[in-house]
Amino acid sequence: MDIAFLLDKYFKGRDNVSIDVFDAQTLNAVYQDVIKSLTSHLEIEVSVLQALSYCLYEMMDNVHIHSGKPLGTAITHYDSQSQTMQILIADDGMGIHASLSENSTYSNITESEALKLCLQDKITDGKGMGFGLYTTSRLIDSIGHEFILHSGSHKLIRKHGTESLVENGFWQGTLIYMEIRTGQEIDPNQIVEHRVDAAAEYNETFVESEELESLW
């Protein structure tokens, strides 16, 4: 994977960019390291971290479940002045279209249709629940600046409240890039439609007991 290209394209001029490569065995450790590094920025709303932690794990786990390749890359950057978080998860696997086509329901869709469909609820190749990208889409709708989903020769872009789908370049696999606002309080369980307790899961994993008492 061309990490230099990703840095130049999405993180140009940014300092202190974190780059992590993960596989099925290191996924959980890398995920926890990324979230723990964000908890050191006290200005980030806890509710944002609670929602983001759920979405980030789902995006990383998608690499392991759907890509057909062992490795994924996570790149993150936090700007404390603008209170904006940049996150990129990428793999060089089979891509969204080929993955969804493994489900006979979607065997005849186009690549562009696959990018739109995968952000909807319960759309899956049969190996997962089809909830991870859907919740990520809901997070973007709530506090997103920009969202890019690039797979194959098509790119879906959400920016300034509008969505477009363009044929632009080629990415072998799946690339998810997003910029989110981190200073706005949200309801993390509303992001996941109360199907799981995202707030409680985050608190249990990342918040020390004495800190947890101060939240209430």
Side-chain angles (χ1 to χ4, degrees), residues 146-162:
E146 183 176 10
F147 174 79
I148 296 173
L149 179 62
H150 192 177
S151 186
S153 60
H154 287 83
K155 184 184 292 186
L156 185 148
I157 304 168
R158 286 185 183 174
K159 193 171 184 178
H160 305 310
T162 63

Side-chain angles (χ1 to χ4, degrees), residues 2 25 55-56 59 66 70-72 77 83 95 99 148 167 176 179 187 195-196 201 204 212 214:
D2 192 343
Q25 286 69 47
C55 295
L56 179 63
M59 287 188 290
H66 304 291
L71 298 179
H77 176 265
Q83 291 191 305
S99 177
I148 296 173
E167 193 166 357
I176 304 169
E179 296 180 20
D187 180 352
R195 299 189 203 178
V196 298
E201 287 185 2
E204 182 178 347
L212 189 57
S214 70

Side-chain angles (χ1 to χ4, degrees), residues 131-175:
F131 192 53
L133 280 179
Y134 173 62
T135 54
T136 301
S137 175
R138 287 175 60 81
L139 180 66
I140 292 298
D141 288 342
S142 178
I143 55 172
H145 276 310
E146 183 176 10
F147 174 79
I148 296 173
L149 179 62
H150 192 177
S151 186
S153 60
H154 287 83
K155 184 184 292 186
L156 185 148
I157 304 168
R158 286 185 183 174
K159 193 171 184 178
H160 305 310
T162 63
E163 179 178 292
S164 60
L165 204 155
V166 298
E167 193 166 357
N168 179 257
F170 182 82
W171 181 262
Q172 177 61 53
T174 301
L175 183 156

Side-chain angles (χ1 to χ4, degrees), residues 38-54:
L38 297 180
T39 63
S40 65
H41 300 284
L42 300 180
E43 66 274 22
I44 299 179
E45 283 286 344
V46 172
S47 60
V48 170
L49 290 174
Q50 290 168 334
L52 176 61
S53 64
Y54 182 88

